[in-house]
Every structure is written in structure tokens, then in C-alpha cells.
Amino acid sequence: MSRTHHTDPELTHRLSRRGMLGVAAGATAAALLGAAAAPAGAATETASAAAGRGRPVLPPGRLGIQLYSLRDKVSTLGFAPVFAELKKYGYDEVEFAGYTQGSAGPITLAQLKRLARDHGLNPIGSHVGYYADDPNAYTFAQNLDKVLDDAQALGLKHIGTASGPFRYGSTVDAWKRAAEEFNTYGAAARARGMKFYQHNHSEEFSFATDNPKVRLYDVLLAETDPKLVYLEMDIFWAYSGQFRFSKRPDGTPAPFEPLDYVLKQPHRYPLFHVKDGVSDPGNQYGYRMTDVGDGDIDYQRFISGVTRLHGERLAHHWQAEHDNPAESFTFARRSSAHLHSLREKC
């Protein structure tokens, strides 16, 4: 996980996702399938609750998966078998990262929406690029109406980007300018009954190059209208940001806790990426990505902290993700099983 001789997972994630999203410019969607496994969702939750281990941490009907994690299955198998597998694992929702399914043949948005419904999966959101040099690119900046048309056709309630607000640089004014554009996209999405959101990586928690006392993520929060722009916290990358940017460039302390951002403004975080990592202080990012449940991020604490807030238990959606799983169906199955097994502490 370094930016020198080794693969940079954050950069690879951005570029790979951007490439996948580029293929989505038509009107078709990603697909996935996988190795058969025992059901892990509702049955696991019911059995655990019956065993008297306390209320499930994970709210009912709110476990999703970011389909980027299953892009290998999408590109070879298509959506139908993947959706069938995900439902067996106990998933309730899916978040798209493109609308094409590779060798499995063409699929329309109407067909994709119907497939999800027929498999009991709720399409909750989608990632689309922020901007590109190509004026015909499938991005918010270049083709806002098309992006929103497609999201509306799928019945999405959320439409967002995994691109950081770095279009104009890393100064305070650059992020204010990007925030203005996000407000525009948010207003257009709201007019269609959707919420526009931005998904973070760790760099969003870095400091402005022209004012190293200012954290860029705070600029984004302050300069975007909370009624128009929402956040999807990628919890892994937020804790990576905590590891990387708890000191300012001059070495003075600047600690922060990702969960605190959510607790202060829970309404701004309708979506989360549940991604795990093994702590590794020798790694530039502080963690090595792994399947949910195999790492050191305390999801019992994090999810409980949010869902215990008054009126917030069913207000959020939790999307499992791994940028490069060793075996994507195994990741999906094991992550669901772990999250369904979590119980609140008495």
C-alpha cells in the first residue's frame, strides 16, 4: 500500500472504479454470481436472537453490498445469478458501480430493476464519476441529466460519486468551488426525489495546501447544503484518514474520530461502506484491507453508535465492500454472516 513500488490501493480503487463506470455510459448494469454457500442473513439473525444474545446491531432490511466488490462476477456471469446468490447470503440491498454486465449480454435498466425486485433486493444507490475531460463522459459534470435519468429509471433513492472534490485542487477555495457544483447536483437530484452523495477515501481528511490548519473534509461539510448534499462514509478509508492525518503538516496534533462526524450530523450520512482492515502501522494507510469481520475496525461499536441515536435505527444503509477480495462470493457471504452475528452489548 505505498505509492512507490507497491500497488496503491486507494489509487487503484479510484482508477478501476472509474474504468468500470466508463463502461456504464449506455444504460445497462453490472453483474455477479458465485460459489454456493449456506444462507447467512435472516436465518442467522433469528437464530442468534433466539439464543438470547441481545438485539442485532444491524437493523433489519438495511444490509447491502457495493457491486464493485463483485465486478469479476458481474463481468462474467451477469446480474441474475449474482442477485440470487446475494439473497441467499442475507443481503437486502445493492449499490451499483456501473450498469453493464459484460459477457452475460446486454441488459436494459428496466430489466435490471426488475431483476433486483424479483430477487428481493432494493437498489439503494449508485456511484458515477464526478467529472472528466471528455465532454461526452458519463459523469455528473458532463452528463448530469443522463445520470439522473438512469438513476430514476432504476428507482434509486440515492445517486452519488466516489470521486473526491479535488477537481480544482486542494486549497480551501478549490473545495468551495467543488462544493458549489455538488450543491448543483444535489438540487437536481432532489428535484427528482433522490439524494446526491459523496463517498470518501482517506485523502478527504487531509489539510488544505493553502491553510494547513483546515481539514478539507470540514470544508466540504461546511460549504455544501445539508439539504442537498449527503455523505456516504467509507469507514475503512475514514479510519485510514485518521491514521494518516491526525497531525498537521507541521507535526502539531489534529486528532479526529470518524464516528463523531456521524454522531454530530447523522442525517447527512444515509449510506455507509462497511469495509474492514487489519491494523498495520508500517503501512502508509495504516490498515490492510480484509473481509468484514477479519479486521480490527470495531463494527459493533460503530454501527451501534449510529443506530442507537433516537430515530436513527432505520435511517441508514450499510453496504459491505472490499476493493479487491480474494474470492468475491466468499467475501460477500462471510461479511454478511459476521454483520448479522453482531449483538448490542447489554
Side-chain angles (χ1 to χ4, degrees):
M1 281 187 166
S2 86
R3 295 185 185 272
T4 55
H5 293 75
H6 302 292
T7 301
D8 177 339
E10 187 163 6
L11 180 60
T12 299
H13 175 79
R14 289 175 179 171
L15 294 178
S16 298
R17 189 187 291 272
R18 185 178 301 166
M20 185 176 182
L21 290 169
V23 179
T28 49
L32 326 144
L33 164 45
T44 301
E45 182 169 331
T46 301
S48 297
R53 294 196 294 149
R55 185 173 75 162
V57 166
L58 190 70
R62 291 299 186 269
L63 178 61
I65 191 165
Q66 167 50 254
L67 296 179
Y68 180 76
S69 305
L70 297 157
R71 61 195 180 278
D72 59 327
K73 302 297 192 290
V74 176
S75 64
T76 56
L77 301 169
F79 286 108
V82 173
F83 285 172
E85 206 70 15
L86 291 175
K87 192 59 183 177
K88 282 203 308 182
Y89 299 159
Y91 286 94
D92 310 295
E93 302 174 334
V94 290
E95 182 184 32
F96 291 105
Y99 310 132
T100 55
Q101 60 175 13
S103 63
I107 185 170
T108 67
L109 293 176
Q111 290 171 328
L112 184 56
K113 180 181 180 180
R114 186 163 55 249
L115 269 181
R117 181 194 63 201
D118 290 348
H119 288 89
L121 296 169
N122 177 31
I124 193 64
S126 181
H127 284 187
V128 176
Y130 167 19
Y131 68 95
D133 294 331
D134 179 1
N136 298 313
Y138 190 79
T139 65
F140 283 96
Q142 277 69 41
N143 274 293
L144 177 61
D145 286 340
K146 174 61 174 171
V147 167
L148 297 180
D149 286 346
D150 289 352
Q152 202 164 19
L154 281 168
L156 301 181
K157 296 299 183 184
H158 308 83
I159 181 68
T161 183
S163 302
F166 292 96
R167 182 179 188 181
Y168 304 106
S170 300
T171 66
V172 172
D173 283 344
W175 273 52
K176 286 183 177 180
R177 186 176 176 186
E180 288 179 6
E181 294 183 340
F182 281 12
N183 284 331
T184 298
Y185 309 151
R190 183 180 180 181
R192 299 189 187 216
M194 293 179 282
K195 292 179 179 180
F196 169 81
Y197 63 95
Q198 193 268 341
H199 162 288
N200 65 275
H201 292 85
S202 65
E203 292 287 349
E204 281 86 335
F205 297 94
S206 63
F207 299 93
T209 54
D210 61 331
N211 188 346
K213 292 184 179 180
V214 175
R215 194 180 301 281
L216 288 172
Y217 195 70
D218 295 336
V219 177
L220 178 66
L221 284 169
E223 297 297 328
T224 51
D225 186 333
K227 295 184 178 65
L228 301 178
V229 177
Y230 297 83
L231 291 306
E232 176 179 62
M233 180 174 281
D234 185 303
I235 300 167
F236 170 92
W237 287 120
Y239 279 103
S240 174
Q242 180 193 58
F243 173 84
R244 299 180 67 193
F245 304 113
S246 283
K247 290 184 179 179
R248 297 185 181 89
D250 65 2
T252 58
F256 73 94
E257 165 55 51
L259 178 57
D260 288 345
Y261 275 107
V262 183
L263 299 183
K264 289 176 183 176
Q265 299 187 66
H267 63 285
R268 295 206 73 176
Y269 294 88
L271 305 172
F272 292 90
H273 273 190
V274 180
K275 184 186 297 179
D276 214 343
V278 176
S279 179
D280 182 1
N283 185 306
Q284 178 182 353
Y285 293 95
Y287 294 88
R288 289 179 285 106
M289 203 173 294
T290 189
D291 292 354
V292 180
D294 289 346
D296 296 311
I297 297 177
D298 188 347
Y299 277 110
Q300 191 280 338
R301 169 181 170 268
F302 195 101
I303 299 176
S304 287
V306 177
T307 58
R308 281 180 173 178
L309 294 173
H310 180 70
E312 297 294 326
R313 181 156 173 80
L314 296 176
H316 308 274
H317 305 265
W318 306 88
Q319 315 295 309
E321 188 185 33
H322 190 312
D323 291 357
N324 293 291
E327 206 295 311
S328 56
F329 277 127
T330 301
F331 154 73
R333 174 178 54 81
R334 297 184 70 246
S335 297
S336 173
H338 174 73
L339 291 168
H340 278 107
S341 74
L342 296 177
R343 292 295 179 273
E344 291 186 354
K345 294 178 181 178
C346 299

